[in-house]
Amino acid sequence: MSYETYFSTHRDEHLEELKQWLKIPSISALSEHKDDVLAAAHWLTDTLKKAGLENIELHPTAGHPVIYADYLHAPGKPTILVYGHYDVQPVDPLNLWTTPPFEPEIRDGKLYARGATDDKGQVFIHLKAIEAILKQEGTLPVNIKLCIEGEEEIGSANLPPFLEANKEKLAADAVLVSDTSLLERGRPAICTGLRGLGSLEVSVTTALTDLHSGSYGGGVPNALHALVSLLSLHDDKGRVSVEGFYDGVPELSPMLREEFVKQGVNEDKIRKGLGLDALYGEEGYSFVERIGARPTLELNGVYGGFQGEGSKTVIPKEAHAKITCRLVGDQDPQHILDAVEAHLKANIQTGAKVHVKQMEKARAFNIDPSNPILQTAADAYGKVYGTRALFTKDGGSIPIMESFSRVLEAPVVLMGFGLDDENLHAPDEHFNLENFDKGLLTIVEFLKTV
């Protein structure tokens, strides 16, 4: 039986099985869902056993468990480590969901549920591809290991120590991950770079209490004024004006810029779709280069003072901001956060005090697209989708990818099957079943040819 026929015959069965996993509200960020996260982990271990995997282990951590399994019966063949996560994002705002987030429903060829595309649906593709090969051929053409965690949506804090402690157990020739997207429908992509991350919270304080603007206005520092003046962190060319911010940022090679051009991104379509008069960013770079291969510093929230209805003539005593930086190349997150903090402290307005709390730190991930295993992956997409995958840079961050690459000293192959408009992290998250079907065939093709 061909794999097309096999998956078509078992499609309804597979989708019903996936729905059972999606019904479990495994929200790692909320402590009240701790038991649900564990239930999702147990569901996965049971499913791995049914699929024919061996040495299935549920490893406790300081947070949610990591699941390991393997099938090592192909001596002399490569070992592929499949990584994914079974935790999901919170569902707020609940009222914006068309159907309840943990009651999976198929509408117009799309499976709607929290976790449908990020990442249960994509992990499930690997489980069923492996199971299909075992059922069809009785063994696997490569050695397989799986490492599936329950904390990706909260930063994977407990996975790096697990990797370090289990380097030999997890040793592989490549790490295979499906947690990214196609360029667009019918146009597959392999991500060769993910931006790193640095975040911090800024607080500005002045007087001991809020003050009446009639009695004190013009004579005392205003925390909001001080903060707003402090947050002018870009020059008139869109570059971050923090000294040392661009340390470790590589120049874009002609080859990489050509890959970006091949994507055929229509900037005017993006602008109109977002309802903008113009796009904005660092001068000298295209939109796709700015969001994939250049570093950024963004204000995510600025707040303070009176925010209720009407007017209150107050001089606020404090104001706050949240800042995140997306990092590329060899930028050191600690160096960048230290540089931003130093800049803020050096430029604070007279009479005000600035307090900085450094938070997330993650290095960027990069891999050379000429790596033979990435070329094999691109060919696998081409065989199923009819068009070979392009190599891209993703503006987002999956911090653990850099850890896998560094600790295991193995190439990371990011073969995603999602689409950017599938509302991951938002209401009405869904997975296009066209890519569920093609994803199964693509992973089979990759495992049989790698």
Side-chain angles (χ1 to χ4, degrees), residues 80-311:
I80 307 298
L81 175 66
V82 176
Y83 163 79
H85 64 93
Y86 60 87
D87 64 321
V88 300
Q89 281 278 320
V91 298
D92 309 273
L94 191 58
N95 64 299
L96 295 183
W97 287 80
T98 304
T99 52
F102 297 109
E103 295 180 18
E105 180 174 294
I106 295 174
R107 303 192 301 272
D108 301 320
K110 302 171 184 178
L111 175 58
Y112 286 81
R114 174 58 88 227
T117 189
D118 182 23
D119 183 37
K120 288 178 179 175
Q122 298 203 57
V123 170
F124 191 77
I125 285 174
H126 290 272
L127 306 185
K128 291 300 148 184
I130 292 168
E131 179 184 77
I133 298 173
L134 285 171
K135 287 190 173 181
Q136 292 267 91
E137 304 183 28
T139 190
L140 296 178
V142 294
N143 301 293
I144 286 286
K145 298 178 180 179
L146 294 99
C147 176
I148 315 295
E149 67 157 322
E151 297 185 322
E152 194 275 344
E153 300 293 5
I154 53 174
S156 301
N158 291 296
L159 192 54
F162 179 82
L163 296 182
E164 293 283 0
N166 292 276
K167 282 194 285 190
E168 186 173 339
K169 177 190 285 287
L170 298 172
D173 295 292
V175 181
L176 177 59
V177 184
S178 293
D179 198 10
T180 50
S181 300
L182 308 180
L183 276 175
E184 59 186 19
R185 184 180 177 185
R187 297 187 68 202
I190 295 172
C191 178
T192 63
L194 292 160
R195 292 193 288 191
L197 184 67
S199 69
L200 44 85
E201 293 182 351
V202 181
S203 297
V204 169
T205 59
T206 52
L208 295 174
T209 184
D210 290 351
L211 299 170
H212 190 293
S213 67
S215 302
Y216 292 93
V220 297
N222 180 312
L224 273 172
H225 289 180
L227 179 66
V228 170
S229 66
L230 192 61
L231 297 180
S232 298
L233 295 168
H234 295 81
D235 64 20
D236 60 4
K237 295 182 189 244
R239 285 178 61 86
V240 177
S241 52
V242 173
E243 184 178 350
F245 184 82
Y246 290 92
D247 293 348
V249 176
E251 289 300 319
L252 301 187
S253 68
M255 181 183 297
L256 181 56
R257 299 196 96 156
E258 184 180 344
E259 283 293 312
F260 282 128
V261 171
K262 286 179 184 177
Q263 294 181 30
V265 173
N266 186 326
E267 294 193 6
D268 197 50
K269 181 180 177 181
I270 292 170
R271 178 189 64 78
K272 290 178 180 177
L274 295 173
L276 294 171
D277 293 329
L279 298 176
Y280 172 81
E282 187 181 2
E283 189 175 291
Y285 297 93
S286 67
F287 173 81
V288 70
E289 290 171 343
R290 291 169 182 165
I291 66 168
R294 295 298 293 170
T296 66
L297 185 154
E298 299 287 358
L299 303 180
N300 308 119
V302 179
Y303 52 100
F306 178 66
Q307 298 176 53
E309 184 178 358
S311 175

